Structures are given as structure tokens and as C-alpha cells.
Amino acid sequence: MSSDMKRNFALLSGPLAFLLLRFTAQSFGSAAASALGMAAWMALWWVFRPVGIAVTALLPIAVNAVLNLIPSGHVISNYFSEIVVLLLGADLICLTWSRTGLDRRVAVKALCGIGTSMRQQILAWLGASVVLSVFLPNVVVAAILCPIAAAMLKFVNGGKNPDVRQSAPILLAIGWGSGIGGFGSPIGGAANLVAIAYMEQLTGHEFMYVDWVLRFVPILFLVFLLNLFFLWQINRTTQDLNGSASYFKKLSEEFGPLKRGEKIGLTLFVLATLLAFLRPLYAELLPGLKPAYSFLTLGLLMFVLRDENGEVMLDWKYAESHVMWGMMFLFASGMALGRMLIETGAVKQLTALIAASGPSGGLGTIALFAAFGCFLTEMSSNTAAASIALPVVISITQTLRLNPVPYMLLTVVAVNCAYVLPVSTRAIPVSYGLDAGLQIRKGLRLTVLNVLLVTALGWFCINYVPFFARF
């Protein structure tokens, strides 16, 4: 097949999938079928990439404008949401790193500490992502770690963009790790707080945070191991990073002391991270200064502060041409698509199919809830997925006269484990060079493995760990 034919096939695959679902899934309703078709169109274009991935991310705006599936304002508002503001702020801060040379310094320090073995690199980046996302929003974690990893990879490749195969395991480790760590503590994500609210409403008494940790940390450890071994398997044919530990140590010493510009870039980056982490301490005093706005506020300071040469840290001409606008569109597209699926009733129809499948409460039911939670998170945010999935779980388990608590807890794990589409947190590594098609292909395999693991763990906990189900 010629290159032109391949490109034409790739271009047509998305619209044809859209039309196929729009006219064959009419039992869902025309609007819902169109929303499902929109999801298929975007997924195929992200895999085959006949156009830029950021162009694909703008499709919900255009298609909704033509078909009027939901109010246009409900779609467009996602493209400059609070999370997009956070990404813009983080990007503005990190742009100064390359201008001052701080990115090279941080890269060398990371290599000195972690080493050049790809297995060690994967373990370190996955571990850091998981641990940080237990306490911080997963978007913040990915926004913090991806530029550091990208700087390191570019440095060891002589200043050129790194080989896709070499960078993929590290960027996947950050994207996936910052997602799964979210269920490690109640403050790890809004989806967890949604679950706690439902459980307290259901039982009539408070769910202690320590009880959450005792139940979920062992599961998180096993999910972490699954991700680690899967990433190591991807890495089988990937070479270690260039250079030796002694070379990087010597290079680190040659940098000398931090310059004023480097200090400013590092200080504001650390301060933004601390403000996000310590938000509960000042939330009452500054209710509007959420992490998104603290990152943007400190990012705007870069246009005012001056380096050791008396020049501003950042000017708009440089920022305009270097800000990752595509990353923001990509992130927003997942939220826009999720809004379309929810408001058109597509999710409601899928829920009805689950209820009609005759779940009995056994292994099959656990697998069904886990798969449903993963699917919803791929198509929206984990908060939206939890808000949709948990009432379904409660309704079905109560109909079967089962204790809903363990099934709800397992669904929480599922909605925090998404690996496939380059939306939400998973859009950030793609913007730093990760192949979206590779993420989709590998992510599908890991999703299946993760659903099987959660199903097996759920069945074991329900049947042999009484504490897990006790509230």
C-alpha cells in the first residue's frame, strides 16, 4: 500500500467509525450514538495520526457545532478550565528552565541519583509518580515530573529529541504512575472524596481516612508491581541511557553554583508545588488560590523578575512560540468528550446494559464493575467516572442484597486506573514526545491485565478479608 493510500485510509477511518456508530447504535438515541462515534473517531485518529494529535483534540468543538449534541458552551468551557490554567502556569515556569540552563543541571542531578540503567530509571520515575500522586492531584504530578524527565532524556541524547523507544518507558511510567497513585489516600483525587461521600450517605456514619489507607495501600502496592513489571517488559529491547555515573558526577561539578536566574526558576517551581501540596493549610484564608491559580500566578511573575544579566526571565514572544498549546487542547478534549457522553445519555444507556446483564455478585460482577470504571475514566475524568459508576454499583448490589461497600471500593480502584487514550493526565507525557499510538496499544494490554488483577483482588478481599468489607 502506498503512503498516500495509507494516509487516506487513516483519514477516513475516523469519520467512517463515527458514521457507523451513529447509524447502527440508534437504540442508544441519535445524540448518544453520535457521542460514541465521536469517541471512536478520536481514538482512531490518535492511533493512526493522519493529522496532529492536537488537531484531533479540537474535534468535539467542530462536531458538536454541526450536530448540536449538547450546548456548545458546555464543550468549549473545557478548553480553558481550571486544569488547563494549571498546565499553562506550570509551562510558563518550566520555560525559564531551558533559558537559564536549569533543565540541564536538574537532568544531570537526576542521572547522578538514579543511574543510567533503564530498569532503575523506570522504577524511580514510576515510584516517584505514584508516591507524589497519593498526596497531590495527578495532573500536578505529571506536570512537575514530565519536564524534568524530558530535559534528562534530551541531555543524554546530545541536545536532540530522544529516540521514541527510549523515552517511552519513562514517560509512560510518569503518565500511568501519576494516575494509579490517586487511590492511595482520600486526598489523592476528587474521585476518592466522591466515593467517601456516597459511603457516608449510604451508612450514616463517618469514613475515617486511616481506614481508607489500610484498605487501599496493599492494593496500590500490587497495582504498582503490575505496572512496573509491564514497563520492564516493554523495555526489553531498549538500551540504557548514554553516559556513566562518573561522567555525570564530573559534569555536575562543572556547573558551579546556581545562578540568579536558575534560583528564581527553581524557587518558583518548588513554591508552586508546595502551595499545591499544602493547600489545606491556607484554604480558608485564600479560598480562591487553588493549585491552578497559584501555578499561573507564579508563572506570570516570570515576565517581571530578572536574571543575573538584568533581563526578564520570560518575554511573551518566547512564551507564545514555546508554550505547549497542544498539550492543553489534548487534555481538554477528554473532558469535553466526557461531557458529551454524559449529557447525551450515552453513559446512561451503557449503565442500563450493565444492569440488564444479570449480575449475580460473584467474580463476573466484580469484573464488570472494574471494566465499567476503567471505561468511564478513559472517556472522562476519574471524578466524573466515580460520580457515574458508584450509584450504579450501589443500585445493583442493593438489588442483589449484597453489602455495597467492597464493590464500591473496588470500583474506586478501577476509576483511578486508566492507561489508553491520550486525554486527562495521559495527555501530558504525549506532549513531551510520547507516541500516542504506542500508549494506546500498550495501554489496552495493561488495562486488561489491570481489570483481571482488580477482579482477583476484589474476589479475594470480599471472601477472605472481612475487614475490607466492614464499614
Side-chain angles (χ1 to χ4, degrees):
M1 184 183 295
S2 67
S3 59
D4 286 342
M5 289 181 65
K6 287 181 180 179
R7 187 175 187 279
N8 290 336
F9 171 78
L11 273 171
L12 291 173
S13 64
L16 288 176
F18 171 80
L19 293 173
L20 181 65
L21 280 168
R22 177 173 167 77
F23 293 110
T24 60
Q26 285 296 309
S27 60
F28 278 56
S30 178
S34 297
L36 289 171
M38 182 78 264
W41 183 348
M42 294 172 73
L44 286 168
W45 271 18
W46 277 325
V47 172
F48 296 125
R49 287 182 294 173
V51 297
I53 56 175
V55 175
T56 302
L58 294 170
L59 280 175
I61 299 175
V63 172
N64 188 69
V66 174
L67 299 179
N68 196 30
L69 302 176
I70 64 175
S72 290
H74 294 187
V75 176
I76 295 171
S77 61
N78 293 285
Y79 287 82
F80 205 69
S81 65
E82 198 169 280
I83 295 176
V84 173
V85 171
L86 185 150
L87 293 173
L88 175 59
D91 206 7
L92 290 175
I93 295 173
C94 291
L95 282 180
T96 64
W97 288 28
S98 59
R99 300 195 79 182
T100 61
L102 180 61
D103 56 349
R104 296 179 72 250
R105 186 188 294 271
V106 171
V108 171
K109 289 289 185 184
L111 287 164
C112 289
I114 301 172
T116 56
S117 164
M118 281 300 294
R119 289 172 71 91
Q120 290 177 317
Q121 286 281 332
I122 291 169
L123 174 61
W125 291 107
L126 180 65
S129 302
V130 170
V131 171
L132 287 174
S133 62
V134 169
F135 307 102
L136 288 170
N138 51 16
V139 180
V140 175
V141 174
I144 290 170
L145 295 182
C146 276
I148 298 174
M152 179 196 71
L153 290 164
K154 189 173 183 179
F155 175 78
V156 298
N157 201 41
K160 296 180 291 185
N161 290 328
D163 181 81
V164 173
R165 291 172 299 175
Q166 190 174 53
S167 62
I170 293 174
L171 292 174
L172 285 173
I174 295 173
W176 291 346
S178 58
I180 64 174
F183 70 86
S185 77
I187 62 173
N192 305 340
L193 301 178
V194 170
I196 288 175
Y198 273 119
M199 286 188 284
E200 290 181 343
Q201 181 181 5
L202 183 68
T203 62
H205 58 86
E206 185 179 0
F207 188 88
M208 298 298 177
Y209 280 18
V210 66
D211 290 333
W212 180 286
V213 173
L214 290 173
R215 284 169 171 83
F216 281 110
V217 166
I219 295 176
L220 177 57
F221 178 70
L222 293 174
V223 172
F224 168 80
L225 289 180
L226 171 64
N227 281 255
L228 178 63
F229 292 137
F230 186 85
L231 286 165
W232 278 353
Q233 182 71 12
I234 292 176
N235 179 53
R236 279 187 308 169
T237 59
T238 304
Q239 295 180 348
D240 291 342
L241 301 180
N242 298 325
S244 64
S246 59
Y247 167 73
F248 292 120
K249 184 177 180 180
K250 180 181 178 182
L251 198 60
S252 177
E253 294 171 351
E254 292 175 355
F255 280 119
L258 284 169
K259 301 180 182 69
R260 174 181 168 82
E262 291 178 293
K263 288 179 181 178
I264 292 173
L266 182 60
T267 299
L268 294 190
F269 183 82
V270 172
L271 181 58
T273 303
L274 288 175
L275 286 172
F277 183 75
L278 301 175
R279 171 69 180 155
L281 299 181
Y282 65 90
E284 291 186 10
L285 181 64
L286 296 170
L289 193 62
K290 296 179 181 179
Y293 308 121
S294 61
F295 267 90
L296 182 62
T297 300
L298 294 175
L300 292 176
L301 283 179
M302 294 299 189
F303 294 95
V304 178
L305 298 174
R306 296 181 179 273
D307 62 17
E308 65 277 4
N309 298 317
E311 299 179 358
V312 289
M313 295 287 293
L314 195 63
D315 60 78
W316 179 246
K317 184 177 181 181
Y318 183 87
E320 187 180 25
S321 59
H322 287 79
V323 163
M324 294 184 177
W325 305 110
M327 171 178 66
M328 298 168 204
F329 295 153
L330 197 57
F331 192 101
S333 66
M335 297 186 290
L337 178 60
R339 194 81 178 262
M340 291 172 68
L341 289 167
I342 293 168
E343 293 190 23
T344 58
V347 169
K348 186 177 180 180
Q349 292 292 335
L350 291 171
T351 300
L353 286 178
I354 291 175
S357 66
S360 60
L363 202 62
T365 301
I366 299 170
L368 194 62
F369 289 160
F372 186 50
C374 288
F375 171 78
L376 289 177
T377 305
E378 290 291 348
M379 296 299 175
S380 60
S381 68
N382 53 9
T383 305
S387 300
I388 297 164
L390 289 173
V392 176
V393 171
I394 293 170
S395 174
I396 292 175
T397 51
Q398 286 183 331
T399 300
L400 297 172
R401 296 185 178 182
L402 298 169
N403 177 9
V405 171
Y407 295 93
M408 293 172 68
L409 295 176
L410 293 168
T411 303
V412 169
V413 176
V415 300
N416 280 280
C417 296
Y419 303 103
V420 184
L421 294 181
V423 297
S424 187
T425 307
R426 301 173 302 284
I428 299 174
V430 170
S431 299
Y432 281 93
L434 176 63
D435 181 352
L438 175 68
Q439 178 173 270
I440 291 171
R441 293 191 299 273
K442 300 297 183 183
L444 283 169
R445 291 171 54 195
L446 184 54
T447 297
V448 173
L449 294 173
N450 189 74
V451 168
L452 293 174
L453 175 63
V454 172
T455 301
L457 288 173
W459 179 85
F460 179 81
C461 290
I462 289 172
N463 288 282
Y464 298 104
V465 186
F467 165 76
F468 187 80
R470 194 181 302 126
F471 193 85

